[in-house]
Structures are given as C-alpha cells and as structure tokens.
Amino acid sequence: MRLYKLWSPILTLTTVLLATAHPPAMANTAARAQEALLEMQQAFRKGDERRVSSLLPQVRGHALEPLAAYWALRLRLDTAPEAEIQAFLQRHAGTYYEDRLRNDWLLQLGKRRDWPAVAAEWPRYRMRDDREARCYALAADAILSRSEVTQEALRLWLAQREADDGCTWLVEHLHSGRKVQSLDLWRKARMAMDANRPRAVRDAVGIEAPRFAEQVGPIHADPARYLDQRILAITRNRKELAVLALIRLAASDPDQAAQKLERRWEAQLSAEERNWTWAVIGKQAAQRLQDNAAQYFAKVQQPQDLNDDLLIWKIRAALRAGQWSQVLAATSALSPESQKDPAWVYWRARALMATAGTQPGRQQEAQQLLRSMAGVRGFYEQLALEELGQRISMPPRPLAPSAQELAAAQANPGLQRALLAISIGLRPEGTREWNYTTNLHTPGGMNDRELLAASALACERQVWDRCINASERTRELFDFEQRFPLPMRETVLRRSGDIGLDPAYVYGLIRQESRFIMDARSHVGAAGLMQVMPATARWTARKIGLNNFRPEQITEQEVNVQIGTGYLKLVLDDFGGSMPLAAAAYNAGPSRSRRWRNGPELEAAIWAENIPFAETRDYVKKVLSNTTNYAAILTGQPQSLKARLGTVGPRSSSAGPENTDLP
C-alpha cells in the first residue's frame, strides 16, 4: 500500500510555541491539559457542571480549548446570558464547536418559541443536519413571513422515528391552519405504531383527534382485546384506531391480524386503510420469512397507497417467492428518490429481464439501468457489473495529492483538532469534528481532491476509519487503496494462511466490524479489530488451544486477529463454506443464521436482501462486497461477487450435524 509522506506530524499551536524554548515545560503542560480534557469528558457525560468549569483553566491555550469551552457552556446553556453565548460563537467562529453550540442554541430558542431569534440564527447554522432545528426554522418562517412550509414539514416529521417538540409543534400549528390533512396525521400514527413508538402515536392522534389519544395506550398494550371489544367502526377516527390495533397485533402475530381483518374489519375500512393494513401484515410476515407474506401483499389493490417502507418489503417478499412481475410493479410505485437506490435499480433491472418474454424493450431498459449503476463501489453496483458480463477489478488510481494539497490538509485546523482528539482518547469528539470538516463546513463538503488529501493525512497517521471515511465521500475520483487499506498485512495473511481462511474475507469483515480501530468497542461489549464478545473470546481461545488467555488481551492486535479468525473459521466450516451465512452468523449469531436459511433455496443476493434484521442485512452485503474488492487488491486479478455469494437454502442432510456449541 502507498503511504503519503507529509511534511511534519500534526502539532497543536501550544506545542509549536513551547517547543522552541522550553521542551520539558511543553511536555508537562500538554500532558496536564490532556489529562484535564479526558477528565472533562467524563464530567460532561455525567452532567457535572461544577467539575467541568473547574478544569477549564487547565486547557487554556490548548488546541482543543474550543471543545472544553463548549462542554462548559453547554451544561448551562439554558441559563447562560445571551451575551455569553454570542461571545462564544464569535470567539470560535468558523469552528465545529461554534456550529455545534448554535445547533444546541437553536433547539433552546425553539422550545422557548422565540421565533425572531430562531430566524436570525438559522442562516448562520452550517451543518443543517438536525431535523428538529430545521422544523423550528420552518415554524419561524411560517409564523413570521407566512411562508408555505407544509410539504417540507411533513417530510421531516414523517421521517422521524422518535417524537420531538419541534416537528410535532410545527405540524400541529399547520393543522390548526388546515394545511395538514387528516390522512397525513393518521399515516404518521400508523408508521409510529409499526415502529413501536407509542409516544409518537399519541402525539399524532392527539393532533387530529385529541379525545381518542388516551386509547393509544390500551391499543399498544393489548390490541387483540381492543379489537374483540369493538364490533363497529363507523367514524373515520374509530376506523383508524382499529387500523392501529391491527398494525400492533401484526407485530406479534401477523396471521391472527389477517384473520381479524378478514372476518370483521375489512368490510368496515376504506380501500386505502385496507391496503395499508394488508401491507403491514405482509411486512411482518416477510420479516418472519413466512411463505404467505407475498399472499398478504397480493391483497393490496393499489400499491400507490403505500409508503416506500411497505413497498420495499413487498419487493423483498416477491423476490423470495420468485414473483418478478410483483417486483416490477412495486419498484414502479416507489418514490422517485427510492427508485434511484442501487438496490431497487438492480432488482428492477432483474425483474425486467425476467418478464421480458417477447418484449425486447424490457431487455433494453434493463441493460440501460444496469449500465447506469455498474461499478465497484458497492454490493449492487458489483452485481450489476457482473450482469453485464464483467468482473470486479481494481480501477485506475487517481493522481496522488500534490504537495500543496497535502499541505492544505495538514494545515486545516478542523482536521488537526480532530486527529489530535482521536490521538489522546477523545475519539467520538474527534470523529464528529472530522466529519463536520470534510462533509458540512462548506456547502456540499470538500471536493474530491480535498477529500483525497484529507484521507492521505489520516492514512499516514494510521487513523484508518477516517482514512476510509474521507475517501468514500469522493464523487468521481476513486482511490481503491485508501478505501480498502491493508493494515497488519503480515499478521492477517499469516494467520489466514495457517488456518485456511481467505484473507480477503478476513479483511472484508474487519473493515465492516471496526474500520481497523484497535480499541473499538460496541454497545454490547464486542471488542477489538474483529469485535469479539468476551464470552466468545474465552470459548474460542479454548477451542484453538490459546492457553492462559486473559480477557484484557482481546484488544491486543495479534490476539484479537488470532481469536477472531479462529472463530470465523469455525463458523464458516459449520455453514459449509457459505460466506453469506457465516457473515450473518458472525453478526447476529449462528442460531439466527440457521433459522434464516430455512425455506426455499435462493440465490444469496435475494436471501441477503430478506434478512429480517436491518443491521445484519446491511452487514452481510457490505462484508461480501468488501471481500470481493480486497480479493482484487490482494491477487491483482478480476473477481466475482456472485461466485462468493452462491445460493442459500436448508442444510444438506449430507452435511453432518450442526456445531451447536458455537456461541
């Protein structure tokens, strides 16, 4: 792998100034400041305003002083004088922390309904990525200038899974002016019930039918009882409450919900309500991999009545059932934005080919769709490339960043602070500032040349997750070696060779698991490069003969790779060498992967698209796509993703017993 030689390591301004005259004082001052920053981080997380404020003087002059000052002010933002807030914004103008505090300040102003202040601050807010803040800004526009904001307000509100004050207040305000329709509110309630978000359901029902909001609790707690206690639903509101109960029941028993819908409620609901309810039942059946999921979706008379989430599950169920005409119909009904998603472009192309028959126009449209997306960037792009008869190869490297471009990246204060924060143990804070600097500081983010230089800076510092992150954002230029680096090459190749694992598969998995962050830890306790759970590590250590293993060793590079590859090999062997099944087992557990393989034998791309867990579905596709690209790098030869995918179906009777000891 090519490494970029930068002019000098990243140094803080404090370090540069002190190093010329007092090296010992410099080291002591920097060390004390770093210790104070780490302690401040913990105090901030605990909400200890007094401790944070007492530590602030110790980081004066340090490059990360803006972060420390942000922590100190953020904890008392609701009581701080506006003059102090404005002074902070001016003092740290142009930094991530100015914009971070302005984001927090906008939320405070919105909760206070201070619309003139919201209108004044919003144009100065660069990130623009907070939905609630955006809703407050739209509210200010609607109230102060009477702008038409309904469409954007509904888009933001419907996209939120959790209820918040900003978007809920805005929609309620628009509803009071008769700019939001009843159907929009009930659809929000349906989506929230499907997502098991009862608070958001109550908020939506409370806007449209306040006296019925108290019924959301009983519906959520026992939907079957609610339905059994009611015979008729004459009014619109009562019909919608029945729909909410059927949606909630489908989450635990889609077949029972279907029976109740057919026997009593179907005749009482409107056509739109019936279509939506049948689609939710179909979705829940599809997420259980039930064979009758497609049959439930077939009861939907108008796909246009559904939102994209339900249509996507209709596509998945149709793929699993081999119903290509239904795949074609559902992809046609998707919103224009979703129709551009590589997954649905690919499956629409496949559906066109499968249903072409004597219609040559469909073949031509399919080829056009495949050519529009084919490449090496991702799972479906690679599959499209293979459908066109090509293999996955390393693309030509773009021109390396020039000395001037590298110098500009090195001098960028946001990138400097981000890498410094990561280096001293403030990874979450450093990652946020890095992402802000590359993606949000200027409209549209950095251009491709700037991103390649930023990636080179991170690669040289061996901050591999930011190296990958920056390079992945390029639009036209594609640096394969930045996007798919090979840290610890000797260790991974040696260990993989010793146990008969494809090193490309190991690299593909590590890239997805940890982005090569050695001390990475997940919210469930998985640790290290290969994100191994403590119990799994102990079990695997015994199985592979790693004597005297101690839990704290799991973050050691050699040990983590040894245990991670050992476990992966055991899983892969148990699943007959199937990379998709083994990847799913590594992420979600072997027992789930075993259940998910039952049913018809499917091409693995269809099987992966139907994995019930969104995280695992995304994980399997990315691991296999990564693996194919790493194989192209390691071998220098064109590769096939389809060959690695194969097919997935029930375990063969000749395969021998399952290794049920696998954790």
Side-chain angles (χ1 to χ4, degrees):
M1 172 183 172
R2 177 177 62 182
L3 291 178
Y4 300 91
K5 296 296 183 182
L6 303 179
W7 292 357
S8 64
I10 296 175
L11 298 173
T12 69
L13 292 176
T14 303
T15 302
V16 171
L17 292 172
L18 291 174
T20 56
H22 306 290
M26 171 202 71
N28 291 335
T29 301
R32 285 196 299 271
Q34 290 178 11
E35 290 175 4
L37 283 162
L38 292 172
E39 190 173 346
M40 286 184 79
Q41 179 198 49
Q42 297 304 312
F44 177 76
R45 290 176 175 175
K46 295 175 182 176
D48 189 342
E49 176 188 333
R50 181 176 298 180
R51 185 58 181 155
V52 169
S53 297
S54 70
L55 290 165
L56 183 58
Q58 297 184 37
V59 298
R60 298 293 186 197
H62 192 277
L64 295 179
E65 181 186 344
L67 166 60
Y70 166 78
W71 280 333
L73 183 53
R74 178 64 186 86
L75 287 176
R76 51 188 183 83
L77 187 61
D78 56 342
T79 59
E82 183 175 352
E84 183 181 1
I85 295 169
Q86 293 296 344
F88 177 98
L89 297 174
Q90 292 173 15
R91 185 165 59 253
H92 300 290
T95 69
Y96 165 68
Y97 295 103
E98 174 216 359
D99 221 37
R100 177 70 265 163
L101 191 78
R102 178 167 281 114
N103 189 161
D104 301 330
W105 179 227
L106 278 165
L107 295 177
Q108 290 277 0
L109 294 171
K111 287 179 173 62
R112 297 175 189 175
R113 313 296 188 241
D114 188 344
W115 305 124
V118 170
E121 291 297 332
W122 176 258
R124 305 182 184 118
Y125 174 48
R126 292 183 295 275
M127 289 189 286
R128 303 289 178 96
D129 62 347
D130 187 303
R131 284 197 182 107
E132 187 173 19
R134 175 60 177 153
C135 281
Y136 283 136
L138 291 173
D141 284 346
I143 292 167
L144 300 177
S145 61
R146 299 189 180 278
S147 300
E148 177 49 55
V149 302
T150 304
Q151 186 174 359
E152 177 68 1
L154 284 173
R155 186 188 69 81
L156 293 169
W157 189 54
L158 292 173
Q160 288 183 318
R161 286 176 61 85
E162 301 291 349
D164 68 29
D165 175 70
C167 295
T168 302
W169 189 94
L170 173 60
V171 169
E172 188 169 8
H173 170 76
L174 294 171
H175 180 259
S176 68
R178 299 186 178 181
K179 293 184 177 181
V180 172
Q181 303 301 312
S182 295
L183 180 59
D184 295 317
L185 295 165
W186 284 114
R187 283 196 167 191
K188 173 64 175 182
R190 297 174 196 171
M191 293 161 61
M193 186 66 81
D194 188 29
N196 193 24
R197 297 294 187 274
R199 177 189 162 193
V201 179
R202 282 193 297 271
D203 286 348
V205 175
I207 295 172
E208 172 61 19
R211 70 188 186 92
F212 290 107
E214 63 184 19
Q215 295 191 31
V216 171
I219 289 172
H220 185 267
D222 194 341
R225 182 181 180 187
Y226 179 89
L227 291 167
D228 290 341
Q229 289 179 341
R230 283 150 183 84
I231 299 174
L232 292 176
I234 299 174
T235 66
R236 167 69 180 277
N237 291 338
R238 293 193 181 279
K239 290 178 182 181
E240 287 287 0
L241 291 173
V243 170
L244 293 180
L246 288 164
I247 289 171
R248 179 60 178 164
L249 180 58
S252 58
D253 192 339
D255 295 330
Q256 186 184 7
Q259 290 174 6
K260 290 186 180 296
L261 177 57
E262 281 183 324
R263 294 174 182 175
R264 177 183 297 177
W265 298 102
E266 188 169 28
Q268 302 185 49
L269 302 181
S270 70
E272 186 274 340
E273 290 163 345
R274 287 195 301 271
N275 288 331
W276 190 286
T277 307
W278 277 120
V280 172
I281 293 171
K283 170 188 171 180
Q284 294 293 346
Q287 290 181 335
R288 287 163 174 73
L289 304 179
Q290 293 180 195
D291 292 338
N292 59 357
Q295 297 171 25
Y296 290 144
F297 275 116
K299 294 180 181 293
V300 176
Q301 300 301 308
Q302 287 291 336
Q304 290 76 14
D305 284 341
L306 310 181
N307 66 0
D308 281 353
D309 177 61
L310 295 174
L311 287 167
I312 285 169
W313 278 103
K314 177 179 172 65
I315 294 168
R316 290 173 177 143
L319 286 169
R320 186 173 171 84
Q323 297 177 350
W324 290 105
S325 62
Q326 292 301 311
V327 173
L328 196 59
T331 54
S332 297
L334 288 170
S335 68
E337 183 179 357
S338 290
Q339 285 186 7
K340 297 175 185 177
D341 186 301
W344 316 126
V345 174
Y346 175 78
W347 289 120
R348 178 170 178 79
R350 288 284 305 276
L352 286 165
M353 291 190 291
T355 59
T358 59
Q359 303 180 55
R362 288 193 172 185
Q363 285 285 3
Q364 293 172 5
E365 183 183 350
Q367 293 296 306
Q368 290 173 355
L369 289 172
L370 292 170
R371 284 194 293 270
S372 74
M373 63 174 293
V376 298
R377 287 179 179 267
F379 183 80
Y380 283 114
E381 292 88 342
Q382 292 172 339
L383 288 177
L385 199 63
E386 292 202 61
E387 288 292 337
L388 294 170
Q390 302 174 52
R391 294 291 185 100
I392 292 87
S393 302
M394 288 181 62
R397 292 201 74 180
L399 188 67
S402 66
Q404 291 79 10
E405 289 169 332
L406 291 172
Q410 186 182 8
N412 185 299
L415 299 182
Q416 284 187 4
R417 281 192 299 270
L419 291 176
L420 176 60
I422 291 170
S423 73
I424 67 172
L426 299 173
R427 179 171 286 278
E429 292 78 7
T431 296
R432 285 192 286 269
E433 180 152 18
W434 178 278
N435 292 344
Y436 164 81
T437 304
T438 57
N439 309 352
L440 300 169
H441 181 69
T442 56
M446 290 182 170
N447 63 40
D448 279 9
R449 298 301 306 174
E450 292 170 329
L451 287 167
L452 290 179
S455 177
L457 176 64
C459 291
E460 196 273 343
R461 300 281 292 181
Q462 297 186 24
V463 184
W464 301 112
D465 63 318
R466 296 306 92 200
C467 165
I468 295 168
N469 172 273
S471 194
E472 278 193 327
R473 289 190 57 80
T474 58
R475 302 155 188 87
E476 302 296 333
L477 303 179
F478 193 103
D479 192 317
F480 224 52
E481 293 187 23
Q482 284 185 346
R483 293 188 181 209
F484 299 94
L486 293 164
M488 303 156 294
R489 180 167 182 160
E490 187 278 330
T491 299
V492 172
L493 294 186
R494 169 173 45 80
R495 176 60 184 166
S496 299
D498 288 345
I499 61 176
L501 262 181
D502 180 356
Y505 190 41
V506 177
Y507 268 116
L509 187 139
I510 295 176
R511 185 182 187 273
Q512 185 60 24
E513 283 286 352
S514 67
R515 283 291 201 270
F516 304 100
I517 301 172
M518 190 63 244
D519 59 352
R521 286 190 180 275
S522 75
H523 68 283
V524 295
L529 288 170
M530 299 189 71
Q531 289 291 278
V532 184
M533 293 290 289
T536 302
R538 291 191 296 271
W539 181 89
T540 305
R542 291 194 301 270
K543 287 290 183 181
I544 65 176
L546 185 60
N547 299 322
N548 302 317
F549 168 73
R550 302 185 309 279
E552 60 270 19
Q553 291 179 288
I554 196 59
T555 55
E556 295 177 11
Q557 175 181 305
E558 285 275 351
V559 173
N560 191 274
V561 171
Q562 187 176 1
I563 288 179
T565 54
Y567 178 70
L568 181 60
K569 173 64 172 172
L570 291 168
V571 172
L572 189 64
D573 288 347
D574 189 55
F575 284 95
S578 170
M579 288 185 177
L581 281 168
Y586 198 97
N587 178 259
S591 62
R592 291 193 178 98
S593 196
R594 292 186 190 110
R595 289 198 305 271
W596 295 339
R597 74 183 301 178
N598 292 327
E601 184 164 330
L602 302 167
E603 58 176 283
I606 292 177
W607 177 82
E609 191 57 58
N610 274 275
I611 291 174
F613 292 178
E615 177 189 320
T616 307
R617 185 166 59 247
D618 183 63
Y619 178 91
V620 169
K621 290 185 284 189
K622 286 182 176 176
V623 167
L624 270 293
S625 175
N626 293 346
T627 298
T628 307
N629 282 334
Y630 272 116
I633 294 171
L634 290 168
T635 67
Q637 299 297 317
Q639 299 294 315
S640 169
L641 171 58
K642 285 192 170 186
R644 285 179 167 79
L645 287 170
T647 61
V648 172
R651 188 181 184 91
S652 170
S653 58
S654 62
E658 296 173 342
N659 183 358
T660 55
D661 288 339
L662 276 173

